[in-house]
Amino acid sequence: MTTHVWDYLPEYAAEREDILDAVQQVFSSGRLVLGESVRGFENEFAAYHGMAHCIGVDNGTNAVKLALESLGIGRGDEVITVSNTAAPTVVAIDGAGAVPVFVDVRAEDHLMDTDQVEAAITPRTKALLPVHLYGQCVDMEPLQRLARKHGLAVVEDCAQAHGARRNGRLAGTTGDAAAFSFYPTKVLGAYGDGGAVLTGSADTDRALRRLRYYGMEEVYYVEQTPGHNSRLDEVQAEILRRKLARLDAYIAGRRRVARRYAEGLADLCGPDGLTLPTVTPGNEHVYYVYVVRHPRRDEIIRVLKERHDIALNVSYPWPVHTMRGFAHLGVPTGSLPVTERLAGEIFSLPMYPSLPESLQDKVIDALRDVLTTTARAL
């Protein structure tokens, strides 16, 4: 049987009774849209983060888009972010009518190089959008200083960092707004699409609640445009309420898997070997994905599939600025050298809390086989 980077079935087998009870609770409640489950999850997710407001939306992409719109960012405004991210980050900026402006990332942790941000600021810049990638946080302190200095908004993309901390502070609690995805693969994942925005501002909260509901505050009366149909589903919200109580346990499980990889692969590292994830000082990594590097990545992935039936993923093989869909931005290849080099070397090993040790050992042993006995063939 093929080994994949993610599988929800072991977790579902363990939690099936609770998940089905959540569905039954919603179906028998008499309210299927924006009911008690959404309100309950919003309150509990906000409380987990020590934040005043949480607004449930239909997916993580719209969480970013609506967060920007709620802060008045739109047509022609520039938003500084990174190209080493999932494309939805940039799709959301574009969808809000704004212009993404890219800075490079750091080779050691793949996160936004905050030293490059100030040089990218222009009179049209209205927001900074750091991406807390792979499970750990961008250095937010310098970004906050730049935001205050230049009068910019800060929107955190936390889709991959539920429960991650920097200097003791949870991802999503530093900026003006923070966008989360609950896509099934996430650290806190639903059984379908879902998203949310955290904010400490009552005004931003009110704007977001209008934006997700056609621009309405009362039924049938539009207060403002643009408006969207972007509501978190009641069933997904109730499932997320149940899973939120287990979030810290999920994170502990991911860290346990990460430790076993680090121990099992340590002797395969070196200048011509694997590069394992680096935890930046001050960060508490939650390992949404376990991303390693090797200069012969493509050959390794091919041999792992052919010889060991292990199908691995690359997060992400194409920097956003190199995609045809963003050619209109005019960002030339070569302008983000670290991002572009990483895109040719990174790949993800299986990572989820219920990953059986036997499958993890299979991956470790297969990598050892490929990197040692077939090194010359590669």
Side-chain angles (χ1 to χ4, degrees), residues 34-278:
L34 291 184
E36 181 56 37
S37 292
V38 168
R39 286 191 295 271
F41 175 71
E42 289 175 338
N43 292 337
E44 291 155 19
F45 196 65
Y48 179 90
H49 290 86
M51 295 292 285
H53 308 285
C54 171
I55 304 89
V57 298
D58 55 344
N59 57 65
T61 308
N62 280 338
V64 176
K65 179 183 175 183
L66 270 61
L68 291 169
E69 290 180 353
S70 73
L71 296 167
I73 296 159
R75 187 67 53 192
D77 295 334
E78 293 180 351
V79 177
I80 297 175
T81 190
V82 293
S83 183
N84 181 39
T85 183
T89 302
V90 186
V91 169
I93 297 170
D94 185 72
V99 179
V101 175
F102 300 114
V103 296
D104 214 342
V105 298
R106 301 185 302 206
E108 60 270 24
D109 59 13
H110 309 177
L111 297 170
M112 175 184 276
D113 186 342
T114 56
D115 290 339
Q116 296 188 22
V117 171
E118 188 160 28
I121 295 172
T122 75
R124 295 173 59 192
T125 305
K126 294 297 185 293
L128 308 178
L129 205 164
V131 180
H132 301 312
L133 195 70
Y134 300 154
Q136 66 174 330
C137 297
V138 173
D139 186 357
M140 294 299 294
E141 291 86 349
L143 295 184
Q144 286 296 95
R145 289 194 292 270
L146 288 174
R148 289 191 295 268
K149 177 180 177 181
H150 296 278
L152 306 176
V154 177
V155 175
E156 299 175 67
D157 184 339
C158 303
Q160 303 186 13
H162 310 73
R165 295 177 184 267
R166 175 157 183 78
N167 296 330
R169 190 163 186 171
L170 280 164
T173 63
T174 303
D176 297 284
F180 289 80
S181 168
F182 304 119
Y183 187 75
T185 61
K186 304 303 184 184
V187 179
L188 179 62
Y191 277 68
D193 276 315
V197 182
L198 290 178
T199 183
S201 164
D203 289 341
T204 303
D205 172 68
R206 185 180 179 189
L208 280 160
R209 293 185 187 281
R210 286 196 303 259
L211 284 165
R212 77 168 178 187
Y213 190 59
Y214 312 109
M216 296 179 182
E217 290 184 7
E218 300 294 335
V219 176
Y220 304 132
Y221 189 90
V222 174
E223 293 283 351
Q224 71 175 65
T225 56
H228 307 276
N229 180 5
S230 183
R231 300 167 297 209
L232 178 61
D233 180 77
E234 273 288 291
V235 171
Q236 301 302 340
E238 186 58 37
I239 291 172
L240 288 166
R241 290 183 76 179
R242 311 294 181 93
K243 296 188 72 176
L244 178 60
R246 298 187 282 270
L247 176 56
D248 291 343
Y250 296 150
I251 292 170
R254 289 175 178 273
R255 288 174 175 157
R256 183 168 56 250
V257 172
R259 284 194 298 271
R260 292 190 82 246
Y261 276 136
E263 294 166 359
L265 298 172
D267 63 328
L268 298 178
C269 298
D272 297 317
L274 281 178
T275 300
L276 300 183
T278 298

